[in-house]
Amino acid sequence: MTYSVAVSGASGYAGGEVLRLLSSHPDVSIGAITAHSNAGGLLGGLQPHLHSLADRVLSETTVENLAGHDVVFLALPHGASAEIAAQLPKDTLVIDAGADHRLEDPIAWEKFYGSAHAGSWPYGLPELPGHRDRLQGAKRIAVPGCYPTSSLLALAPGFSAGLLEAEDVVIVAASGTSGAGKSAKVHLLGSEVMGGMSPYGVGGGHRHTPEIEQGLSAAAGEQVRVSFTPTLAPMSRGILSTATARVKAGVDGDQLRRAWTKAYADEPFVHVLPEEQWPHTKAVQGSNHVALQLAYDEHAGRVIVSCAIDNLAKGTAGGAIQSMNIALGLEETAGLSHQGVAP
Amino acid sequence: MTYSVAVSGASGYAGGEVLRLLSSHPDVSIGAITAHSNAGGLLGGLQPHLHSLADRVLSETTVENLAGHDVVFLALPHGASAEIAAQLPKDTLVIDAGADHRLEDPIAWEKFYGSAHAGSWPYGLPELPGHRDRLQGAKRIAVPGCYPTSSLLALAPGFSAGLLEAEDVVIVAASGTSGAGKSAKVHLLGSEVMGGMSPYGVGGGHRHTPEIEQGLSAAAGEQVRVSFTPTLAPMSRGILSTATARVKAGVDGDQLRRAWTKAYADEPFVHVLPEEQWPHTKAVQGSNHVALQLAYDEHAGRVIVSCAIDNLAKGTAGGAIQSMNIALGLEETAGLSHQGVAP
Amino acid sequence: MTYSVAVSGASGYAGGEVLRLLSSHPDVSIGAITAHSNAGGLLGGLQPHLHSLADRVLSETTVENLAGHDVVFLALPHGASAEIAAQLPKDTLVIDAGADHRLEDPIAWEKFYGSAHAGSWPYGLPELPGHRDRLQGAKRIAVPGCYPTSSLLALAPGFSAGLLEAEDVVIVAASGTSGAGKSAKVHLLGSEVMGGMSPYGVGGGHRHTPEIEQGLSAAAGEQVRVSFTPTLAPMSRGILSTATARVKAGVDGDQLRRAWTKAYADEPFVHVLPEEQWPHTKAVQGSNHVALQLAYDEHAGRVIVSCAIDNLAKGTAGGAIQSMNIALGLEETAGLSHQGVAP
Amino acid sequence: MTYSVAVSGASGYAGGEVLRLLSSHPDVSIGAITAHSNAGGLLGGLQPHLHSLADRVLSETTVENLAGHDVVFLALPHGASAEIAAQLPKDTLVIDAGADHRLEDPIAWEKFYGSAHAGSWPYGLPELPGHRDRLQGAKRIAVPGCYPTSSLLALAPGFSAGLLEAEDVVIVAASGTSGAGKSAKVHLLGSEVMGGMSPYGVGGGHRHTPEIEQGLSAAAGEQVRVSFTPTLAPMSRGILSTATARVKAGVDGDQLRRAWTKAYADEPFVHVLPEEQWPHTKAVQGSNHVALQLAYDEHAGRVIVSCAIDNLAKGTAGGAIQSMNIALGLEETAGLSHQGVAP
């Protein structure tokens, strides 16, 4: 069976990546491709890398244009996706790459987004305990944020196994600039970002912080408190997260290593690298793979986990398609067999 | 039918790219993966982006290890491939990604490479007139150099159509650093190349010059003389060639455009972009696609053609696999459906 | 004596570079620093690299604010500078980093800029024959464009010496993105430009073409026709120009080399590198220096000249200050002793 | 008075930067410039950005060649500098940019460097309490490592003021590739590093960890334990450190801010930015400046400090010259007036 799929927000980076990955998916046919300000134009002019779809015309992002497909991907600004999703048929699989349905706690939502909470959907990170089940047969899926994807994959095994303290968790992540989207802003100009690094959203203000805490707290069974600092790196794609937490008394390095290798032993996309080999974002570039390594710093009493993903692939579009595969009962890796593109 | 394929030089960039593309090819199974100094090691430590092949062990590059496959890819230094190829069975399809068998003229070979000429093989650029035929059923294929690929695709249509003068052809090309290979050299360090550009091999000294002239002269039916200057750009992949030639008297812009669009009308990988849209190397990154645009500068009396390829894909491994497909009678695009990876 | 200097357009890249260089100039004091949309703000928020000027407040770009200084730098969009310059006192040294007063030919101006010609001023490229004299005591100076600076320095010696043909001159240049200015545009986002190259303004359409031809024709004493193609490189700063021209019959390589070395023998900023050493834009980054090398390609009958400058320094602000020094009778190198910043 | 200065290790990045900065220092004359494998060559071939020194010949790095100068800079591999320093006259000011004399604790030295401890020298970070005094008149100075410079400047004020807990200090730093030196290694090739990020020396293994703890413990008056993770960023220069520590009970955000602003109020190079403005490494590129910002994350109970330096300037050569100025009784900022080079 072939599923018809509509993609909104197709002129942006997330929408473009959904289309790139879907274009080689064996079980889908791409139906409506929609955008807002670029409606009416050819996809080839906006996403010139999507050669096989270059002649497709973008239609306006409306409920009418999206309805009638088996699957709808929403790659829209927060607020917009909730509004459209509410009007789509209940039996359409709606996958929201935006933030609207990620947070379970309405208070956290309102604090960080300043608007009414649209409710939460099954969370598209199947590698977290219990989440794969919830995605099977789901009709609404919230795609995790890119930083939460890498942060949760980095630390969840240690919290699930009860090896880490819930306080003083620190995550510093470097993201490629595509994470900031495709709208024209001076501080994102090539001239500004090439050759330099800077932090942003420091001090707990980044909207991904409550999402990270939500996931880690669920894994830990207690409230986890995270200091999260994102930085902007001079690269188009990729997130490298350095995540550290205090190890509980009596836990040793072997226990730590076993917790992570066991958690991901059967995962097709998450790779705990051989010891001494550290993740590099280029090794996962363009792919749904996750490269992960950990070290126990006995002196500091902390575990340090390094996790590399492609923010647009596993961090957005790849994770979304992986979740779609589960929801539809397809092979989980269907359409996601890309290796990393390196060097 | 599934063809067994061996890949030598697997620890380098060209060999790694052959493996990346072959790993999703529907008609092949990857047999021996060989290297020299890294023999015995795991591929995952050398090419960490090739996740599905991470556990494969590299064997030594020997005739014994390569023989017994239907297809052998040689991604070896020049000299080495000719030596091995001579010992491989006549009915094995041998595809040489190196230089040994590209040049037809022994004198040109000796002048630029300083060694005995190993002879020339069918040339793996099927988009050039007559070449696709020669590749069908071939048992030996010389993969074009990356600069010649982009230069010949840029200018051949104009010469084939008799629209261009054979003198004062000028090509200036910018290449990503992977074109210089993976051996450790100070001038290729990231610290040296990031944020800057420089030329090299200036003044006719680059080994790709005779190869470009060979192809353009064949298209023109007369000796074409090319001034070719390569430059090193701060990017890992990609070649952007700016190729210009004097237009013959009486030729107008419409004739020029028609020559190029007609030449590539049925080509699956070469795209003459809509007018006013110019090639960008990122739009072909990781793919076998070629983006091409031309403009007629009436004032200067010259046509300027801009051509973007991925030096490792269409410029090496992708072109090699495309040629393999033709030689084996497979679908020409098999295993090459990748879009560009952008941004 | 200390000269008071005003700088307009201070929130842009050109204005910022003028301020950076002036801040260590021994003979000037920086007076008004003006901008338009950012007037009223602190310079430190807009140009955080100018540490010693961080507390300076930007005033509005008006005639009133600029008048009353010995020197006024205009780093404004074309059109705007001519309008303001016309109202500044005749005895104020006005240095226009924009295009308004570069072209001598009103017809060329109108063709490429589509507005009325404001007249031409002494041209701030003292290394061209005769130009240094015209700058001495000048009260109005047009700063050359960045591409013309590198193109003219590359080829003028050969034309001045009568060694080159006036037809089929080809220049392909790669520029850092700061050459495109600081306004927010999608195609200049870091995500778009990092890791890739693309051409623009192809086919004679770039506004710098008539300026290059103006300078080369003056050097040659006949109309020179140039095919000029600019490309955008993934770096913040720098221009690498590859300039080639047909060598006249009977001219040999020694004559060529002598022409260039002689032309620049006494120039403090232009360096013909030792043979076999090729220019790299990073070696001139942040400095007013010019690195230049040439090769005679006998086979193609052409000279190839490679020229590296910093587009913002020698290509804009450095050239402007060098011209100011000459106009004011200061040491020509005053305030311009910066080495390149590499790696 | 003019001081004669010798610079060893002149073909490397640290040595090159010392020369770049010294070349515009008003109080020094550059004497011997020495190297090892490149002795006998011209500096211009190795450091083409040092235009004013291009014709200088490199001599061999020997005691004979270095002795007889007022000041000797050692930019040598660890081990080598201690050996040479021991043979230089006692009244020569010897400034070691290497590691040999940084650590006070012989046991820490032996653990991390595996050789005999050469003793410790006055530590060239005058912004730390008490250190400026020790540098005055000193004849031996150990230049801090680049990571320690940014880490100590980031956190020392909070520890000096008694506001931070000594456990669970976490520092994650991103460094440009020049920090890894100029020797040819595959993992430092441009093809490998451009467009990606990776960590290294994770888990307490990096040699800069004991140096950071030494400085913070001295500031705190108790043993501080640090989890330090360095990452390699795709840029030539710059370090961005994200340093976080648990705030002691009862301390509020105002106290934190006051501690930092007070500590650096009179420092010429360290700038606590206006609130909401975050450091960017490009704003300090090529300069001795330090950009610093902090935020109090009440939720996590931690302060986050972001600190940007140029690893080669303030992190190595600039810090070395600043210390030299203090030792010689010169103006502390002499020769260090460079602004950042941006964009």
Side-chain angles (χ1 to χ4, degrees):
Chain A
M1 173 175 176
T2 295
Y3 295 88
S4 66
V5 180
V7 178
S8 63
S11 52
Y13 291 142
E17 187 75 350
V18 169
L19 287 167
R20 183 178 76 84
L21 296 175
L22 286 179
S23 70
S24 60
H25 195 295
D27 303 310
V28 308
S29 76
I30 299 175
I33 301 177
T34 80
H36 181 51
S37 56
N38 294 300
L42 289 177
L43 188 65
L46 294 160
Q47 306 276 20
H49 60 298
L50 302 178
H51 300 277
S52 69
L53 300 168
D55 295 334
R56 297 290 295 268
V57 178
L58 293 148
S59 55
E60 181 70 31
T61 300
T62 61
V63 172
E64 292 67 40
N65 287 332
L66 296 171
H69 296 81
D70 299 313
V71 185
V72 173
F73 284 90
L74 301 176
L76 303 173
H78 66 84
S81 52
E83 194 184 325
I84 285 197
Q87 305 173 62
L88 289 170
K90 296 265 182 281
D91 61 345
T92 300
L93 171 52
V94 180
I95 300 178
D96 184 4
D100 283 358
H101 308 92
R102 291 173 187 161
L103 291 187
E104 295 163 13
D105 180 1
I107 296 171
W109 174 270
E110 281 162 30
K111 177 177 166 197
F112 281 86
Y113 290 88
S115 57
H117 188 225
S120 72
W121 290 354
Y123 191 70
L125 198 54
E127 293 87 356
L128 293 191
H131 281 63
R132 189 170 271 114
D133 291 350
R134 277 171 243 163
L135 294 169
Q136 286 163 356
K139 290 298 179 185
R140 294 291 186 272
I141 295 173
V143 181
C146 48
Y147 285 123
T149 294
S150 69
S151 300
L152 294 172
L153 293 174
L155 288 179
F159 281 110
S160 294
L163 306 177
L164 306 179
E165 301 276 4
E167 299 288 320
D168 287 307
V169 177
V170 175
I171 302 172
V172 178
S175 173
T177 53
S178 61
K182 203 176 178 175
S183 60
K185 292 174 186 162
V186 167
H187 77 282
L188 296 174
L189 287 174
S191 301
E192 298 292 312
V193 299
M194 284 187 283
M197 290 199 67
S198 59
Y200 64 100
V202 186
H206 196 282
R207 287 164 167 173
H208 284 171
T209 304
E211 191 182 338
I212 296 169
E213 293 192 345
Q214 169 180 291
L216 292 183
S217 299
E222 62 178 318
Q223 175 64 37
V224 172
R225 237 183 277 267
V226 173
S227 162
F228 171 64
T229 304
T231 64
L232 197 65
M235 56 191 192
S236 292
R237 285 173 175 247
I239 288 180
L240 182 77
S241 290
T242 304
T244 89
R246 200 158 65 234
V247 173
K248 285 187 176 169
V251 174
D252 65 22
D254 284 350
Q255 281 174 278
L256 288 166
R257 190 155 197 90
R258 269 200 308 276
W260 267 262
T261 51
K262 195 175 149 204
Y264 297 129
D266 299 325
E267 290 297 337
F269 294 116
V270 184
H271 310 280
V272 180
L273 298 178
E275 293 197 54
E276 306 297 315
Q277 187 181 336
W278 288 87
H280 197 297
T281 60
K282 287 178 82 170
V284 295
Q285 186 166 257
S287 86
N288 202 49
H289 291 283
V290 179
L292 199 146
Q293 183 57 286
L294 67 155
Y296 176 35
D297 182 346
E298 274 195 81
H299 172 74
R302 299 179 71 90
V303 66
I304 297 107
V305 188
S306 175
C307 178
I309 63 166
D310 183 320
N311 60 307
L312 292 177
K314 178 62 179 170
T316 307
I321 290 169
Q322 183 183 356
S323 296
M324 175 194 80
N325 289 342
I326 296 169
L328 297 177
L330 301 172
E331 186 76 29
E332 187 169 332
T333 58
L336 296 172
S337 61
H338 309 71
Q339 312 273 20
V341 178
Chain B
M1 170 174 177
T2 295
Y3 295 89
S4 67
V5 180
V7 178
S8 63
S11 52
Y13 291 143
E17 187 75 351
V18 169
L19 286 167
R20 183 178 74 86
L21 295 175
L22 286 179
S23 70
S24 60
H25 195 294
D27 304 310
V28 308
S29 75
I30 299 175
I33 301 177
T34 80
H36 182 51
S37 56
N38 294 300
L42 290 177
L43 188 63
L46 294 160
Q47 307 276 19
H49 60 299
L50 302 178
H51 301 278
S52 69
L53 301 168
D55 294 335
R56 297 288 297 269
V57 178
L58 293 147
S59 55
E60 181 70 31
T61 300
T62 62
V63 172
E64 292 65 40
N65 287 333
L66 297 171
H69 296 81
D70 301 310
V71 185
V72 173
F73 284 90
L74 301 175
L76 304 172
H78 66 85
S81 53
E83 194 183 325
I84 284 198
Q87 305 173 63
L88 289 169
K90 295 268 182 279
D91 61 345
T92 300
L93 172 52
V94 181
I95 300 179
D96 185 3
D100 283 357
H101 307 93
R102 291 173 187 160
L103 291 187
E104 295 163 12
D105 179 2
I107 296 170
W109 175 269
E110 282 161 28
K111 177 177 167 197
F112 282 86
Y113 290 88
S115 58
H117 188 223
S120 73
W121 289 354
Y123 191 71
L125 198 54
E127 293 86 356
L128 291 191
H131 281 62
R132 189 171 272 114
D133 290 352
R134 275 171 245 165
L135 293 169
Q136 286 164 356
K139 290 297 179 187
R140 293 291 186 271
I141 294 173
V143 181
C146 48
Y147 285 123
T149 294
S150 70
S151 301
L152 293 172
L153 293 174
L155 288 178
F159 282 110
S160 294
L163 305 177
L164 305 179
E165 301 276 4
E167 300 288 320
D168 288 307
V169 177
V170 174
I171 302 171
V172 178
S175 174
T177 52
S178 61
K182 202 175 177 176
S183 60
K185 293 174 185 162
V186 167
H187 77 282
L188 296 175
L189 286 175
S191 302
E192 299 291 311
V193 300
M194 284 187 282
M197 291 199 66
S198 59
Y200 64 100
V202 185
H206 196 282
R207 287 165 167 173
H208 283 171
T209 304
E211 191 182 339
I212 296 169
E213 292 192 345
Q214 169 180 290
L216 293 182
S217 298
E222 63 178 319
Q223 174 64 38
V224 173
R225 235 181 278 267
V226 172
S227 163
F228 171 64
T229 304
T231 64
L232 197 64
M235 56 192 190
S236 293
R237 286 173 174 246
I239 288 181
L240 182 77
S241 290
T242 304
T244 88
R246 200 158 64 233
V247 173
K248 285 188 177 168
V251 173
D252 64 23
D254 283 349
Q255 281 174 278
L256 289 166
R257 191 155 197 89
R258 269 199 308 275
W260 268 262
T261 51
K262 197 177 147 201
Y264 297 129
D266 298 326
E267 290 297 339
F269 294 116
V270 184
H271 310 280
V272 180
L273 298 178
E275 293 196 52
E276 307 297 316
Q277 188 180 337
W278 288 87
H280 196 296
T281 59
K282 286 178 82 169
V284 296
Q285 186 166 255
S287 86
N288 202 48
H289 292 283
V290 179
L292 198 145
Q293 183 58 286
L294 67 154
Y296 176 35
D297 182 347
E298 273 196 78
H299 172 72
R302 299 178 72 91
V303 66
I304 297 107
V305 188
S306 175
C307 179
I309 64 167
D310 182 320
N311 60 307
L312 291 177
K314 177 62 179 170
T316 306
I321 289 169
Q322 183 183 356
S323 296
M324 175 194 81
N325 289 342
I326 297 170
L328 297 177
L330 301 171
E331 187 75 29
E332 188 169 331
T333 57
L336 297 171
S337 62
H338 309 71
Q339 312 273 19
V341 178
Chain C
M1 172 175 175
T2 294
Y3 295 89
S4 66
V5 179
V7 178
S8 63
S11 52
Y13 290 142
E17 187 75 351
V18 169
L19 287 166
R20 183 178 75 85
L21 296 175
L22 286 179
S23 69
S24 60
H25 195 295
D27 303 310
V28 308
S29 75
I30 298 175
I33 301 178
T34 80
H36 182 53
S37 55
N38 294 300
L42 289 176
L43 189 64
L46 293 161
Q47 308 276 19
H49 60 298
L50 301 178
H51 301 277
S52 69
L53 300 168
D55 295 333
R56 296 289 296 268
V57 178
L58 292 147
S59 55
E60 181 70 30
T61 300
T62 61
V63 173
E64 291 67 38
N65 287 332
L66 297 172
H69 296 82
D70 299 312
V71 185
V72 173
F73 283 91
L74 301 176
L76 304 173
H78 67 85
S81 52
E83 194 183 325
I84 285 197
Q87 304 172 65
L88 289 169
K90 295 267 183 276
D91 61 345
T92 300
L93 171 52
V94 180
I95 300 178
D96 184 3
D100 283 359
H101 307 92
R102 291 172 186 160
L103 291 187
E104 296 164 12
D105 179 0
I107 295 171
W109 174 269
E110 283 162 28
K111 178 178 166 195
F112 281 86
Y113 290 88
S115 58
H117 189 224
S120 72
W121 289 353
Y123 191 71
L125 198 54
E127 293 87 356
L128 291 192
H131 282 63
R132 189 170 271 112
D133 291 351
R134 277 172 242 164
L135 293 168
Q136 287 163 357
K139 290 297 181 187
R140 293 290 186 275
I141 294 173
V143 181
C146 49
Y147 284 123
T149 294
S150 70
S151 301
L152 294 171
L153 292 174
L155 288 179
F159 282 110
S160 294
L163 306 178
L164 305 179
E165 301 277 4
E167 300 287 322
D168 288 308
V169 177
V170 174
I171 302 171
V172 178
S175 173
T177 52
S178 59
K182 203 176 176 174
S183 59
K185 292 174 187 164
V186 167
H187 78 281
L188 296 174
L189 287 174
S191 302
E192 299 292 310
V193 300
M194 284 188 283
M197 290 199 67
S198 58
Y200 64 101
V202 186
H206 196 282
R207 287 164 166 173
H208 283 171
T209 304
E211 190 182 340
I212 296 169
E213 292 193 345
Q214 169 180 292
L216 293 183
S217 298
E222 62 178 319
Q223 174 64 37
V224 173
R225 235 183 278 267
V226 173
S227 163
F228 170 65
T229 304
T231 64
L232 197 66
M235 55 193 192
S236 292
R237 287 173 174 247
I239 288 180
L240 182 76
S241 290
T242 303
T244 87
R246 201 158 61 235
V247 173
K248 285 188 177 168
V251 174
D252 64 22
D254 284 350
Q255 281 173 278
L256 288 166
R257 189 155 199 90
R258 271 200 306 275
W260 268 262
T261 50
K262 196 177 149 203
Y264 298 128
D266 298 326
E267 291 297 339
F269 294 117
V270 184
H271 310 280
V272 180
L273 298 178
E275 293 197 53
E276 306 297 314
Q277 188 180 337
W278 289 86
H280 197 297
T281 59
K282 287 179 81 170
V284 296
Q285 186 166 255
S287 87
N288 201 49
H289 291 283
V290 179
L292 199 144
Q293 183 57 283
L294 67 154
Y296 176 36
D297 182 346
E298 273 196 78
H299 171 73
R302 301 179 70 92
V303 66
I304 297 104
V305 188
S306 175
C307 179
I309 63 167
D310 182 321
N311 61 307
L312 291 177
K314 178 61 179 171
T316 306
I321 290 169
Q322 183 183 356
S323 296
M324 175 194 80
N325 289 342
I326 297 170
L328 297 177
L330 302 170
E331 186 75 30
E332 187 169 330
T333 58
L336 297 171
S337 61
H338 309 72
Q339 312 272 19
V341 178
Chain D
M1 171 173 177
T2 295
Y3 295 88
S4 67
V5 179
V7 178
S8 63
S11 52
Y13 291 142
E17 187 75 350
V18 169
L19 287 166
R20 183 178 75 86
L21 295 174
L22 286 179
S23 70
S24 60
H25 195 295
D27 304 310
V28 309
S29 76
I30 299 174
I33 301 178
T34 80
H36 181 53
S37 56
N38 294 299
L42 289 176
L43 188 65
L46 293 161
Q47 307 276 20
H49 60 299
L50 302 178
H51 300 277
S52 69
L53 301 167
D55 295 334
R56 296 289 296 269
V57 178
L58 293 146
S59 55
E60 181 69 31
T61 300
T62 61
V63 172
E64 292 66 38
N65 286 334
L66 296 171
H69 297 81
D70 299 313
V71 185
V72 174
F73 284 90
L74 301 176
L76 304 172
H78 67 85
S81 52
E83 196 184 324
I84 285 199
Q87 305 172 63
L88 288 170
K90 294 268 182 279
D91 61 345
T92 300
L93 172 53
V94 180
I95 301 178
D96 184 3
D100 282 359
H101 308 92
R102 290 172 187 160
L103 291 187
E104 296 164 13
D105 179 2
I107 295 171
W109 174 269
E110 282 162 30
K111 177 177 167 197
F112 282 87
Y113 290 89
S115 58
H117 189 224
S120 73
W121 289 353
Y123 191 70
L125 198 55
E127 293 87 355
L128 292 191
H131 281 63
R132 189 172 271 112
D133 290 351
R134 278 171 242 164
L135 294 168
Q136 286 164 358
K139 289 299 180 187
R140 293 291 187 272
I141 295 173
V143 180
C146 49
Y147 285 123
T149 294
S150 69
S151 300
L152 293 172
L153 292 174
L155 288 179
F159 282 109
S160 295
L163 306 178
L164 305 179
E165 302 276 4
E167 299 288 320
D168 287 307
V169 177
V170 174
I171 303 172
V172 178
S175 172
T177 53
S178 60
K182 203 176 176 175
S183 60
K185 292 174 185 162
V186 167
H187 78 282
L188 296 175
L189 287 174
S191 301
E192 299 292 312
V193 299
M194 285 188 282
M197 291 200 67
S198 59
Y200 64 99
V202 185
H206 196 283
R207 287 163 166 174
H208 283 170
T209 303
E211 191 182 340
I212 296 169
E213 292 193 345
Q214 169 180 291
L216 293 183
S217 298
E222 62 178 318
Q223 174 64 39
V224 172
R225 234 182 280 268
V226 172
S227 162
F228 171 63
T229 304
T231 64
L232 197 65
M235 56 191 193
S236 294
R237 285 171 175 249
I239 288 181
L240 181 76
S241 290
T242 303
T244 87
R246 201 159 61 236
V247 173
K248 284 188 177 169
V251 174
D252 65 22
D254 284 350
Q255 281 173 279
L256 288 167
R257 190 153 198 91
R258 271 199 307 275
W260 268 262
T261 52
K262 195 176 151 203
Y264 298 129
D266 298 326
E267 290 298 338
F269 294 117
V270 184
H271 310 279
V272 180
L273 298 178
E275 294 197 53
E276 307 298 314
Q277 187 180 336
W278 289 86
H280 196 298
T281 59
K282 289 179 81 170
V284 296
Q285 186 166 256
S287 86
N288 201 49
H289 292 282
V290 179
L292 199 145
Q293 182 58 286
L294 67 154
Y296 176 35
D297 182 346
E298 274 195 78
H299 171 73
R302 299 179 71 90
V303 67
I304 298 106
V305 188
S306 175
C307 178
I309 64 167
D310 183 321
N311 60 307
L312 292 177
K314 177 62 178 170
T316 306
I321 290 169
Q322 183 183 355
S323 297
M324 175 194 81
N325 289 341
I326 297 169
L328 297 177
L330 301 171
E331 185 76 30
E332 187 169 329
T333 59
L336 297 172
S337 62
H338 309 71
Q339 312 273 19
V341 178

